[in-house]
Amino acid sequence: MHIKDKLEQAKKGARLSILMYIILTLTKLLFGWINGSQALVADGLNNATDVISSIALLIGLSISMKPADSNHNYGHYRSEFIASLTASFIMFAVSVQVIVHGVTNFFKGDYSTPTIEAAVVAILSAIIMFGVYFYNRNLAKKVDSSALKAAAYDNLSDALVSIGTFIGIMGVYVGIPMLDTIAAIVVGFIIMKTAIDIFRDTAITLTDGFEVETLEKMKNLVSSIPGVIQVMDLKGRNHGVISFVDVTVTVQPTLSVKESHDIAEQIEQQMKEKFGSVETIVHIEPEDI
């Protein structure tokens, strides 16, 4: 699949997330306010941050499709990570607000008394978000988008948050009136953890972090190609739906330029076949005699 086709597919996942999050945000905030559930309102605010995150992801994916220019020789593929980084700051700010509000109400003894309708909204939201999670997770694997994969795990955390909200609301009906307020505080911490996780993973990528296991697999593949004597160096950078890899190998010093070039082409071809969208730059050096 061409890189632009992958980005278009990833944008479908972002659009689905935006649509679902807008519906869930409005529904949860409305029902939470009408039916007196602090946890459901907190869950709705959580989804509101997800709307912003998904819009940022969609914008980032759109910018990623721009071709390389004089200032961006490797293209604009990392734009989606900038969007994710921005969204993580917004999510963190909202999480602090939710936690402070919930803790204040807890110590004041200002517990909410939600109705059963709020619980129904919470459990239906969880089911919907589990569906969105599985869709985006499978799509992320198909198009190899790191940002969409992170968005999918955000979908999963939202589904779990809604389940926690449901438990908190139902706790009021079994005689634990403060459980809804506690659930709201827990939701706030889950939002905060998600924000920190997204920030950490994005920061690692933007600082050229790369999975050690993947590098080892790449090194083993290159080492197995006929004509390669030794892999002297191999390093990679993740640019979203594409990775750039630099590899230095030694070959017999008696090989012609054509023979060395053929080995380099074999390395590039094998890397693409095994690891997908990978641009490999091969450096050929003569083996010391």
Side-chain angles (χ1 to χ4, degrees):
M1 185 183 296
H2 193 271
I3 293 176
K4 285 192 175 181
D5 294 330
K6 287 186 175 183
L7 289 171
E8 283 292 351
Q9 289 294 317
K11 286 169 68 176
K12 289 182 180 180
R15 292 191 189 101
L16 175 63
S17 293
I18 292 171
L19 177 61
M20 290 297 101
Y21 280 136
I22 290 175
I23 293 173
L24 292 178
T25 296
L26 296 176
T27 302
K28 289 176 182 178
L29 291 177
L30 180 63
F31 274 82
W33 180 69
I34 293 175
N35 297 285
S37 173
Q38 294 179 24
L40 194 60
V41 170
D43 197 357
L45 290 173
N46 175 36
N47 290 152
T49 65
D50 294 320
V51 172
I52 298 172
S53 300
S54 298
I55 291 175
L57 173 59
L58 183 60
I59 293 173
L61 289 170
S62 298
I63 296 175
S64 295
M65 298 180 70
K66 293 176 62 177
D69 54 35
S70 58
N71 292 326
H72 303 86
N73 296 322
Y74 289 96
H76 297 75
Y77 300 116
R78 281 188 170 179
S79 299
E80 57 182 290
F81 294 113
I82 299 295
S84 297
L85 200 62
T86 302
S88 71
F89 288 119
I90 297 172
M91 292 176 68
F92 188 87
V94 171
S95 72
V96 172
Q97 179 184 358
V98 171
I99 292 169
V100 170
H101 182 71
V103 170
T104 301
N105 287 337
F106 180 82
F107 283 107
K108 285 182 177 180
D110 185 13
Y111 306 132
S112 57
T113 54
T115 64
I116 196 67
E117 288 83 357
V120 172
V121 171
I123 197 65
L124 288 177
S125 297
I127 294 171
I128 291 172
M129 288 317 303
F130 273 122
V132 176
Y133 159 68
F134 284 115
Y135 177 84
N136 280 338
R137 184 197 65 174
N138 294 335
L139 185 59
K141 289 181 179 179
K142 180 180 178 181
V143 303
D144 194 26
S145 171
S146 300
L148 188 58
K149 181 181 178 181
Y153 282 108
D154 188 26
N155 299 149
L156 177 60
S157 71
D158 292 326
L160 297 176
V161 164
S162 293
I163 290 177
T165 301
F166 172 77
I167 293 172
I169 295 171
M170 294 308 296
V172 176
Y173 286 89
V174 297
I176 312 176
M178 75 284 292
L179 197 56
D180 183 71
T181 304
I182 293 173
I185 297 172
V186 172
V187 167
F189 278 109
I190 292 176
I191 299 172
M192 181 178 288
K193 181 183 183 303
T194 303
I196 293 172
D197 288 344
I198 292 175
F199 174 83
R200 184 190 65 243
D201 294 342
T202 305
I204 289 173
T205 302
L206 289 176
T207 53
D208 286 339
F210 205 85
E211 291 183 359
V212 176
E213 292 182 1
T214 302
L215 285 176
E216 191 63 29
K217 291 178 181 178
M218 289 179 171
K219 184 175 181 179
N220 292 336
L221 174 65
V222 174
S223 298
S224 67
I225 293 175
V228 174
I229 297 176
Q230 185 180 3
V231 178
M232 300 295 293
D233 185 38
L234 193 151
K235 49 183 176 285
R237 290 172 291 166
N238 194 321
H239 282 242
V241 295
I242 186 172
S243 296
F244 292 94
V245 176
D246 294 300
V247 57
T248 301
V249 299
T250 60
V251 299
Q252 287 290 347
T254 55
L255 294 181
S256 66
V257 173
K258 175 65 169 58
E259 290 170 326
S260 297
H261 175 72
D262 289 342
I263 293 174
E265 283 198 331
Q266 274 294 314
I267 293 173
E268 293 171 8
Q269 181 180 345
Q270 291 288 331
M271 288 284 283
K272 282 189 176 181
E273 290 179 1
K274 177 68 175 179
F275 298 101
S277 298
V278 177
E279 290 293 332
T280 307
I281 299 176
V282 184
H283 305 271
I284 300 289
E285 293 187 0
E287 178 73 3
D288 293 334
I289 300 177

